[in-house]
Amino acid sequence: MQESCLHSCLTMFIHFILDIESTGLDVVNDRITQIAIKRSGSTNPSDRLIAYVNPGREIPSNVVELTGITNEFIQNGGHCPATGMVTGPALSLPAVLPILISFMRNQIKVDEEACLVAHNGNQFDFPLLRNEIARAKLPISL
């Protein structure tokens, strides 16, 4: 019974996989530097989005070493060693979130429902994102 319930849940919803990089591990005080989201099960490059976010503060050297996202890249754009992407300067979180929401909405048909999932989401990704949304006073609930 439990297995069929899990199967139903997994097949009933469109799943988006979320991954967040930040200036550290403190979900209250640290800031987001990158949000990546991908529609689960898709190999189409248009079904994923990577957005760099200007955290408004320096990224500590140990975090740069771990993520490959540098202060210079956030400020000026260019070639990111971590992903190989070439972009312009990172946007603020209030500028990035509507892009992410639009991306997800465009992936879902009218009669479909979606679910956002993340590894360690309940302890890190979701609380950090909620705190950032609240700090920016954005009318978005998560």
Side-chain angles (χ1 to χ4, degrees):
M1 179 69 163
Q2 188 176 10
E3 196 172 303
S4 67
C5 182
L6 177 61
H7 177 72
S8 293
C9 181
L10 292 174
T11 57
M12 285 176 53
F13 299 101
I14 302 297
H15 291 83
F16 290 99
I17 301 164
L18 173 75
D19 184 43
I20 291 179
E21 300 297 343
S22 69
T23 58
L25 297 175
D26 184 332
V27 298
V28 173
N29 296 308
D30 282 311
R31 300 292 186 270
I32 294 172
T33 57
Q34 180 192 57
I35 301 176
I37 192 162
K38 180 186 183 299
R39 182 176 172 150
S40 179
S42 176
T43 58
N44 186 340
S46 68
D47 289 343
R48 67 183 170 134
L49 181 68
I50 299 173
Y52 293 94
V53 179
N54 188 329
R57 62 170 61 169
E58 290 290 309
I59 303 169
S61 59
N62 63 318
V63 174
V64 170
E65 208 173 293
L66 179 68
T67 66
I69 301 170
T70 66
N71 291 295
E72 295 77 18
F73 177 77
I74 291 294
Q75 293 301 317
N76 306 318
H79 179 265
C80 180
T83 63
M85 291 180 60
V86 178
T87 71
L91 301 174
S92 67
L93 187 71
V96 167
L97 283 178
I99 295 167
L100 291 169
I101 291 167
S102 176
F103 166 79
M104 287 188 289
R105 283 189 179 141
N106 290 335
Q107 299 282 324
I108 303 170
K109 296 177 188 157
V110 174
D111 60 340
E112 292 180 317
E113 295 187 48
C115 180
L116 191 60
V117 296
H119 176 71
N120 202 24
N122 289 337
Q123 285 74 40
F124 181 73
D125 298 78
F126 297 140
L128 179 63
L129 189 53
R130 277 189 204 102
N131 287 330
E132 288 273 51
I133 289 168
R135 194 175 2 268
K137 296 181 173 79
L138 297 171
I140 299 168
S141 62
L142 179 65

